[in-house]
Amino acid sequence: MIIIMRPNTSEMDIENVVNTLKSLGLGVHISKGVEKTIIGIIGDKRVLEEVPLDLMPGVEKLVPVVESYKLASKAFHPEPSIIDVNGVKIGGAELVLMAGPCSVENREQIIETAIAVKKSGAKFLRGGTFKPRTSPYSFQGLEEEGLKLLKEAKEITGLLIISEITSEKTLEIAYKYVDMVQIGARNSQNFQLLKEVGRSKKPVLYKRGPSMTIEEWLNATEYIMSEGNENVVLCERGIRTFETATRYTMDISAISVIKSLSHLPIIVDPSHATGKSQYVQSLSKAAVAAGADGLIIEVHPNPMRALSDASQQITPFEFDNLCSDIYKIAPIVGRDFKYNQNHSQL
């Protein structure tokens, strides 16, 4: 349930409603708009049966929320959220690009990639250091040593760092190095890990699981947000269908659906969605046109020699061409993208 307060309601009236709800053991989420304040109620609503909230000063009306997810719902927070990650805002007017290799392999590889993607307009450097792989014999990542290399790349380029965590232990290690943690598809319903990320307060990129419905995805997001971390960015990365031409099927409609149901920003990962580098550029542009707030793309200096997911990574040259195209598309859909046309040296 949400309580809609009257326009220009006093702070005292709002505080009285909030204190009443808290005295009943309920959680409260306040969203202040330009004219109205909305108070979201979290918890067992049966305690309100004998409480005439609608008669309290400043209350305009009570509105039930039918969705099982609350904090992620647009009903609780009508205005789109903008997630500020150390000065980079995701969900605002500017498109935010995250780029880098599937795995951090060595210093030369990650530094070269970071410099290249920064020149083209990326704001984040992505790179896997803890790699959950299908086979236990596949490359598992450099772990903390890889995080140290990402940190060095950040010091050289100024790019923010995002990297996947796979457990509470890896969250504790990564916390010291990254600006934003990533919850990958394999852990999308690891609810204990989602809770820990919620308690950490570190901004999080939360990827949709390959078999999750959008409702399940948003419900799982509540595990993060209910622990106090509202700095969540959603990521569509493809779902399982009967189609085998691509690794997964990129659900481009998810962008529009999320925008209608939730206030959280959404970005798209075309690399994992397709699994094939030749489709990354076209689907990236389609995602921007559909309203995505950004992209996360796998870029490697020499994809053929990559230690993981070689077939889906594009080269820095291809990434630069994509950024040039996005620079032209962005204004058409009312967005801004800062492409470095001059490619000046850092």
Side-chain angles (χ1 to χ4, degrees), residues 273-294:
T274 65
K276 297 182 179 182
S277 60
Q278 63 263 41
Y279 304 134
V280 167
Q281 298 199 43
S282 59
L283 287 182
S284 295
K285 289 179 277 191
V288 170
D293 296 299

Side-chain angles (χ1 to χ4, degrees), residues 57-103:
V59 173
E60 181 175 296
K61 60 181 175 179
L62 309 182
V63 180
V65 178
V66 297
E67 295 88 359
S68 51
Y69 50 89
K70 308 298 182 186
L71 297 175
S73 170
K74 211 167 188 178
F76 262 42
H77 194 299
E79 298 297 322
S81 286
I82 298 176
I83 308 302
D84 190 326
V85 186
N86 291 337
V88 174
K89 294 178 171 60
I90 305 173
E94 184 177 358
L95 292 168
V96 175
L97 266 60
M98 306 173 179
C102 175
S103 300

Side-chain angles (χ1 to χ4, degrees), residues 143-173:
E143 301 185 343
E144 188 168 9
E145 185 58 36
L147 289 169
K148 291 177 180 178
L149 292 176
L150 285 171
K151 183 180 179 182
E152 183 180 357
K154 175 182 178 178
E155 291 169 351
I156 293 172
T157 63
L159 290 169
L160 299 182
I161 300 301
I162 179 170
S163 193
E164 183 176 358
I165 53 101
T166 57
S167 65
E168 296 172 46
K169 180 180 178 181
T170 60
L171 171 61
E172 184 179 345
I173 296 170

Side-chain angles (χ1 to χ4, degrees), residues 91-273:
E94 184 177 358
L95 292 168
V96 175
L97 266 60
M98 306 173 179
C102 175
S103 300
V104 179
E105 298 168 358
N106 55 61
R107 183 183 184 277
E108 180 182 6
Q109 171 239 23
I110 196 62
I111 300 297
E112 180 182 347
T113 306
I115 291 173
V117 299
K118 171 66 180 293
K119 287 179 181 178
S120 298
K123 293 295 180 70
F124 283 79
L125 175 65
R126 62 140 293 147
T129 60
F130 300 100
K131 297 297 298 177
R133 308 299 301 282
T134 302
S135 169
Y137 308 112
S138 299
F139 177 60
Q140 302 290 311
L142 298 180
E143 301 185 343
E144 188 168 9
E145 185 58 36
L147 289 169
K148 291 177 180 178
L149 292 176
L150 285 171
K151 183 180 179 182
E152 183 180 357
K154 175 182 178 178
E155 291 169 351
I156 293 172
T157 63
L159 290 169
L160 299 182
I161 300 301
I162 179 170
S163 193
E164 183 176 358
I165 53 101
T166 57
S167 65
E168 296 172 46
K169 180 180 178 181
T170 60
L171 171 61
E172 184 179 345
I173 296 170
Y175 199 92
K176 301 177 291 184
Y177 299 96
V178 304
D179 299 284
M180 189 176 201
V181 296
Q182 174 185 307
I183 298 291
R186 296 173 193 265
N187 278 298
S188 58
Q189 291 182 297
N190 183 342
F191 299 127
Q192 188 57 44
L193 179 59
L194 297 182
K195 288 181 181 179
E196 288 298 324
V197 170
R199 297 182 191 116
S200 78
K201 304 300 188 293
K202 181 76 73 171
V204 55
L205 179 67
Y206 176 44
K207 288 193 170 185
R208 182 184 184 183
S211 299
M212 290 177 98
T213 66
I214 289 177
E215 184 176 10
E216 289 170 338
W217 188 18
L218 289 172
N219 272 312
T221 305
E222 294 286 301
Y223 278 89
I224 302 172
M225 301 182 74
S226 64
E227 295 293 336
N229 189 351
E230 297 180 2
N231 299 310
V232 180
V233 177
L234 301 173
C235 181
E236 163 61 34
R237 46 79 68 204
I239 56 175
R240 289 192 184 279
T241 68
F242 56 81
E243 184 55 70
T244 59
T246 52
R247 184 178 183 180
Y248 296 100
T249 297
M250 193 173 100
D251 184 6
I252 198 150
S253 67
I255 301 168
S256 298
V257 175
I258 288 294
K259 292 286 184 180
S260 70
L261 298 177
S262 177
H263 57 92
L264 297 175
I266 178 172
I267 73 169
V268 169
D269 176 354
S271 303
H272 281 91

Side-chain angles (χ1 to χ4, degrees), residues 324-336:
S324 177
D325 288 343
I326 291 175
Y327 177 72
K328 299 168 187 172
I329 296 170
I332 300 173
V333 293
R335 307 302 284 264
D336 181 36

